[in-house]
Amino acid sequence: TGRDELNALIGDMQSLFGEVADKTTVKTAIVLQTTDDESDFYIWSNATAWDCNGIGALIDKNDDGTAKTGTFFGTTWDGGAVPNYSHYITVDLGTEIALNELSIDYTTRNSTHANQRPTAIKVLGSNDKEGEYAEITTLSEGMPVGQNQKWEMTSTVALDNYYRYIRFAPATEVGYFNMSDFNFYAHSAV
């Protein structure tokens, strides 16, 4: 009967939901590096400013693993405002890999340059370093407005493709940006 079929369907759905609920997601910090552009997890920018501490300032840590907020990375500012999303940082994963999901966190610079804090960040992916990048999503929820503030994603970004390069392109009031810390995480179901 129709009632029996409906009950069977409900039972199947409950089993499926139970299987999904039993899955656990593991968040793994990816240790980024700036010294070897031929090795995995290399991070770089297309527009590093001459007067900042360089891209390495995004990943330097105190002995206890917390962000060093006295150093910072910034993109080129001395030519005036630039179009939003034209300055970026890119992570080379080393090979095309299937990340199920990713997330980031960052800390704003310890300065009063509020117009250089991201108001949104486009996340893009590619398998060609110099080629086209596909837009994956734009992050904009709850971006910090103060100095020396940490921002963490409240959810993850699901990836629908294999990518070698993941790019983060912020929007600010002036197009160029700065940060004192940046962390990248892979999420996978187990």
Side-chain angles (χ1 to χ4, degrees), residues 103-183:
S103 66
I104 64 168
D105 63 51
Y106 72 89
T107 304
T108 58
R109 179 182 171 194
N110 190 10
S111 82
T112 57
H113 299 290
N115 63 347
Q116 297 174 34
R117 294 186 189 116
T119 56
I121 299 174
K122 280 189 182 180
V123 181
L124 306 109
S126 181
N127 289 312
D128 181 356
K129 180 178 180 179
E130 302 299 329
E132 293 293 317
Y133 280 70
E135 185 171 340
I136 299 166
T137 192
T138 300
L139 309 171
S140 61
E141 188 74 28
M143 296 282 178
V145 296
Q147 50 185 324
N148 198 27
Q149 290 183 329
K150 184 173 184 174
W151 177 81
E152 297 181 65
M153 291 178 60
T154 56
S155 61
T156 60
V157 173
L159 300 177
D160 61 351
N161 205 342
Y162 291 90
Y163 294 112
R164 175 173 176 168
Y165 303 98
I166 305 292
R167 179 168 289 169
F168 302 92
T172 67
E173 290 178 27
V174 290
Y176 45 89
F177 70 96
N178 62 51
M179 299 174 179
S180 68
D181 188 56
F182 181 86
N183 297 290

